[in-house]
Amino acid sequence: MAPAGAPTWKSPSRFGVVGLLTQPTAYTVVISGITGFLFFIDALQSGSVTAATAAMVIGESVGPAAFGVAWLGDSTRHGYAPLAILGFVLSIAGALALARFGEAEQQERQTAPS
């Protein structure tokens, strides 16, 4: 039996390069990284930097948190749930504030008629 807190899956490092190349998670990491990069580049080209960054921060917070809680059974230590929820809410609120108020105001220059 594994000690408490020890991973129950086998580490790819135990298998070497061949073992790593046979792990579906290795391909998932590569594919999701490339896909995320392409989506972020597209967002930067079509919108503002702060809005794209805020969307990225929200996606990096909500997606893994939902996956961890729903499918992996993640939880906080006993008594720390309110602190975890507060941190999560502040992270999302900060990203939304960045998207809403992060753009520097650009003042249009008034040109005098010649």
Side-chain angles (χ1 to χ4, degrees), residues 2 7 10-11 13 17 22-23 40 44 48 58 70 74 81 102:
K10 293 182 179 179
S11 172
S13 63
V17 175
T22 61
Q23 295 292 319
F40 188 58
L44 288 175
S48 71
I58 291 171
D74 286 351

Side-chain angles (χ1 to χ4, degrees), residues 36-60:
F37 178 75
L38 293 174
F39 281 141
F40 188 58
I41 293 299
D42 185 50
L44 288 175
Q45 289 176 347
S46 63
S48 71
V49 173
T50 53
T53 304
M56 182 182 70
V57 168
I58 291 171
E60 288 175 344

Side-chain angles (χ1 to χ4, degrees), residues 1-80:
M1 179 172 215
T8 56
W9 47 270
K10 293 182 179 179
S11 172
S13 63
R14 295 176 65 189
F15 302 121
V17 175
V18 174
L20 179 65
L21 294 176
T22 61
Q23 295 292 319
T25 52
Y27 297 104
T28 303
V29 168
V30 171
I31 291 169
S32 64
I34 291 170
T35 304
F37 178 75
L38 293 174
F39 281 141
F40 188 58
I41 293 299
D42 185 50
L44 288 175
Q45 289 176 347
S46 63
S48 71
V49 173
T50 53
T53 304
M56 182 182 70
V57 168
I58 291 171
E60 288 175 344
S61 299
V62 174
F67 182 82
V69 170
W71 285 286
L72 300 177
D74 286 351
S75 63
T76 62
R77 288 192 297 176
H78 180 69
Y80 282 86

